Amino acid sequence: MVEAAAMKTECYPISLLPGLSRLFLDFAERRDALTPFYPASAYSTEWMTIGPVLPLAGRETLCNLLEQQNRSFGAADAVLENIARLRSGASAVVTGQQVTLFGGPLFTILKAATTIRKAKDASIAGSPHVPIFWLATEDHDLAEADHVTFPGRHELKTLRLASEPANSSAVGKITLGKSIEDLLAQAAEVLGPGPLLDQLSACYREGQSLGQAFAQFISRTFAAQGLVVMDASSRGFHALGSDVLRQAIVRADELRVALNDRDQQLAAAGYHSQVLVPPLSSLLFLFDSGTGARVPLRRTAEGGWHAARQSYSTAELLAILDAEPERLSPNALLRPVFQDSILPTAAYVGGPSEVAYFAQSQVLYQRILGRTTPVLPRLSATLMEPAMADLLARYDVSLPDVIQSALKDPLELAQRLGARSISAIGKRKLAAAGNALDTELSALAAYMHSLDPGLGRAADVSSSKMRYQMNRMRRLMANYELRQDQTLGRNAGLIALNLFPNRHPQERVLGAAWFLSRYGEALPELLVEQAGQQCPGHKAIWL
């Protein structure tokens, strides 16, 4: 179990993690709003006391749909109580994620935990707020959703759905076949028996859709915290958001121009476009009535529309919207606007890519809704299990050491452990030689600079070569230790596998189910507690 009172954490700049866009870094690290791209900073709390307005009729219909849906997910009493709060006028803090196999990567539950914490903080500061998890069941990128990865003893183990749909249909509608039993057996080998495996088996079963399975899993994981789960792919939810879909049709050209203008603003500020907006593109997909494929809708040069090989007039699309609104699906830029026309959203919790998307979506918010929802970054964290914590302490290595070493060279971390293992006398001799060399070279180079600038530059080059050779001697000593003690290399591999697998942040690779299976019901509450803004960057959390 996790002891909250004894919890150790460390906070690092978010820039510690590789691959983050400059736009997200600037947003996450600034205390003031990054205008005009974001209406508020990542640290703003004004949204907590300024609740959005949702028409009473829409709110009643929304809550009826949510109650019916969450009961089908096996919702706990705390969830139904939060839906009742929504019905009575509460605002929402919202996050979302594509549905995935066995709960997906760690960042999924980090998003949920942050949303719960923000709703809790806002309820304390002002009016009631309810956490909502929006299921992106309409997405069709199966490659992002069909697998989960767990750490093994010596390598990562990835479990993957065996079958794929014949077309680009919605991932959430994929029906799990008999092969799910084999995947559960493989998961059991890694996770071991226990309540978490029982939960996975109850949710992910033959005949169940991937969307329903994921919904049940995330609902049960955060049952005690009252997380409301929402699949908006049905006709009822799409009817509530139909005005946004309608405007995306009738104002398609105007909205594309606005997005292109925003792209130019981003470029002028030194940022790049997060979602490309090609000529004649639109903000919508259309589900094919025959195959179920989710096909992008594009404009024609003549002002019409086409999806795959089928052509449509604007009137025909509007007729589809009126009769079958669920067949029209928003893209990544329009989805948050569509979402916030249905929900009384006070703030949205997003990952780095989603936050970057908001810089473009902001122009759609203003033109369609006349307001912009504040976006907040989710908790970013590396979870330190006791075995990993012991290894880091033994070799005096930090999380930044692990990440920076892995990014330089896969062997760098092993050499660092080898250097840490050099005997005390060896370290003293290396330090003495290195300090003496540095002192004498600096003095000699300064003297040669005083004689002649050209001579001084030549001295700098020679000094650099000598220091390189001194560093080479340190590496030789470290490599000797690696040869003498092969556990150093194995431990380096084990640290990287668990904390920075495949040279990527732990939160983006390792499955949340791994940690839930080991730390149980205490983990979700711990993550909620850690999702405050005390650390604005990346947090290391000792379990």
Side-chain angles (χ1 to χ4, degrees):
M1 297 294 289
V2 180
E3 296 289 343
M7 188 59 51
K8 174 186 174 183
T9 64
E10 290 180 354
C11 183
Y12 304 103
I14 192 65
S15 54
L16 171 70
L17 303 184
L20 300 177
S21 69
R22 184 187 159 200
L23 178 59
F24 172 75
L25 290 174
D26 284 355
F27 169 79
E29 293 175 345
R30 286 176 56 145
R31 291 280 171 178
D32 57 328
L34 185 59
T35 55
F37 310 122
Y38 301 95
S41 79
Y43 307 95
S44 171
T45 57
E46 292 181 7
W47 60 269
M48 293 183 178
T49 55
I50 305 175
V53 176
L54 189 69
L56 183 60
R59 186 181 286 269
E60 187 68 16
T61 302
L62 167 68
C63 291
N64 288 340
L65 290 169
L66 285 175
E67 183 172 346
Q68 178 184 11
Q69 199 171 74
N70 278 265
R71 286 186 184 279
S72 75
F73 298 153
D77 290 344
V79 176
L80 300 177
E81 289 168 5
N82 271 339
I83 294 174
R85 292 187 181 95
L86 272 178
R87 198 184 296 273
S88 299
S91 298
V93 181
V94 184
T95 193
Q97 183 59 37
Q98 189 178 52
V99 297
T100 48
L101 179 66
F102 296 161
L106 176 62
F107 72 74
T108 301
I109 63 171
L110 296 181
K111 292 174 85 171
T114 308
T115 303
I116 293 164
R117 174 59 185 266
K118 298 303 181 186
K120 180 179 179 181
D121 290 347
S123 296
I124 294 172
S127 59
H129 286 68
V130 169
I132 296 180
F133 194 104
W134 176 289
L135 304 175
T137 52
E138 296 180 18
D139 287 2
H140 59 268
D141 191 347
L142 182 60
E144 291 186 357
D146 68 349
H147 63 280
V148 67
T149 299
F150 301 128
R153 290 180 62 86
H154 306 294
E155 61 183 4
L156 298 175
K157 184 175 182 61
T158 297
L159 310 183
R160 191 179 301 274
L161 287 172
S163 59
E164 296 186 10
N167 53 54
S168 298
S169 58
V171 168
K173 294 183 179 179
I174 294 174
T175 300
L176 300 174
K178 193 170 183 60
S179 63
I180 194 65
E181 296 178 6
D182 180 58
L183 287 178
L184 284 166
Q186 293 180 53
E189 293 177 2
V190 181
L191 303 178
L196 191 279
L197 188 66
D198 294 342
Q199 181 177 326
L200 288 176
S201 299
C203 299
Y204 291 84
R205 60 184 188 273
E206 184 180 0
Q208 183 93 296
S209 74
L210 185 59
Q212 184 81 2
F214 180 91
Q216 291 178 357
F217 178 79
I218 199 73
S219 181
R220 294 184 184 193
T221 299
F222 290 97
Q225 292 77 25
L227 180 66
V228 179
V229 180
M230 176 178 177
D231 177 1
S233 62
S234 69
R235 178 169 297 184
F237 285 112
H238 273 246
L240 286 176
S242 62
D243 183 61
V244 169
L245 302 175
R246 186 178 305 277
Q247 292 196 55
I249 295 171
V250 300
R251 300 171 64 187
D253 298 333
E254 170 200 339
L255 296 175
R256 188 175 66 252
V257 169
L259 286 171
N260 287 331
D261 290 344
R262 174 48 55 91
D263 278 355
Q264 293 177 15
Q265 286 181 300
L266 286 166
Y271 306 119
H272 62 82
S273 176
Q274 306 303 307
V275 179
L276 295 178
V277 184
L280 301 180
S281 64
S282 84
L283 298 167
L284 297 168
F285 290 85
L286 180 69
F287 283 104
D288 187 275
S289 59
T291 66
R294 185 175 184 248
V295 184
L297 269 169
R298 304 187 188 281
R299 297 286 275 151
T300 66
E302 295 77 22
W305 299 80
H306 69 90
R309 299 178 181 177
Q310 182 70 40
S311 296
Y312 301 89
S313 67
T314 295
E316 287 172 327
L317 285 183
L318 292 174
I320 292 173
L321 176 62
D322 290 336
E324 304 172 276
E326 70 278 11
R327 287 185 58 196
L328 288 158
S329 176
N331 74 353
L333 292 177
L334 187 64
R335 189 202 57 76
V337 183
F338 175 69
Q339 160 200 290
D340 293 345
S341 70
I342 299 172
L343 296 170
T345 310
Y348 183 84
V349 173
S353 295
E354 290 174 291
V355 170
Y357 291 173
F358 260 71
Q360 289 173 276
S361 294
Q362 191 269 338
V363 298
L364 302 178
Y365 268 102
Q366 287 302 127
R367 282 164 175 75
I368 296 175
L369 298 184
R371 56 181 171 82
T372 304
T373 296
V375 60
L376 308 171
R378 65 161 170 81
L379 169 65
S380 178
T382 297
L383 303 187
M384 296 286 190
E385 297 194 77
M388 293 302 104
D390 289 345
L391 288 176
L392 294 186
R394 183 191 309 176
Y395 299 112
D396 190 24
V397 173
S398 67
L399 179 61
D401 291 335
V402 175
I403 293 175
Q404 291 159 11
S405 295
L407 292 175
K408 288 179 185 176
D409 185 330
L411 299 177
E412 177 80 16
L413 182 59
Q415 291 179 334
R416 188 181 289 268
L417 265 57
R420 294 285 198 271
S421 301
I422 296 172
S423 66
I425 188 170
K427 289 178 180 177
R428 285 198 299 270
K429 289 183 177 296
L430 283 171
N435 291 337
L437 179 66
D438 191 62
T439 299
E440 295 300 329
L441 284 179
S442 296
L444 179 58
Y447 174 68
M448 295 174 75
H449 270 283
S450 70
L451 296 177
D452 178 79
L455 182 62
R457 287 191 294 272
D460 289 339
V461 172
S462 296
S463 297
S464 177
K465 292 179 179 179
M466 293 180 197
R467 289 188 173 94
Y468 172 82
Q469 291 300 326
M470 186 66 234
N471 285 331
R472 185 169 181 271
M473 291 183 70
R474 295 186 179 98
R475 288 194 297 272
L476 288 171
M477 288 283 286
N479 288 334
Y480 172 79
E481 294 294 334
L482 288 174
R483 291 193 301 272
Q484 293 297 109
D485 184 356
Q486 295 184 1
T487 61
L488 294 173
R490 290 196 294 271
N491 286 340
L494 194 60
I495 292 170
L497 183 75
N498 283 269
L499 302 186
F500 199 62
N502 285 347
R503 304 174 77 185
H504 291 288
Q506 178 199 75
E507 63 186 19
R508 300 204 63 82
V509 177
L510 299 188
W514 167 261
F515 299 97
L516 291 167
S517 70
R518 294 164 73 83
Y519 301 99
E521 296 178 354
L523 183 62
E525 188 59 39
L526 165 70
L527 296 180
V528 171
E529 180 64 27
Q530 293 294 324
Q533 286 185 319
Q534 295 88 346
C535 175
H538 183 78
K539 182 178 285 190
I541 303 173
W542 272 252
L543 299 177

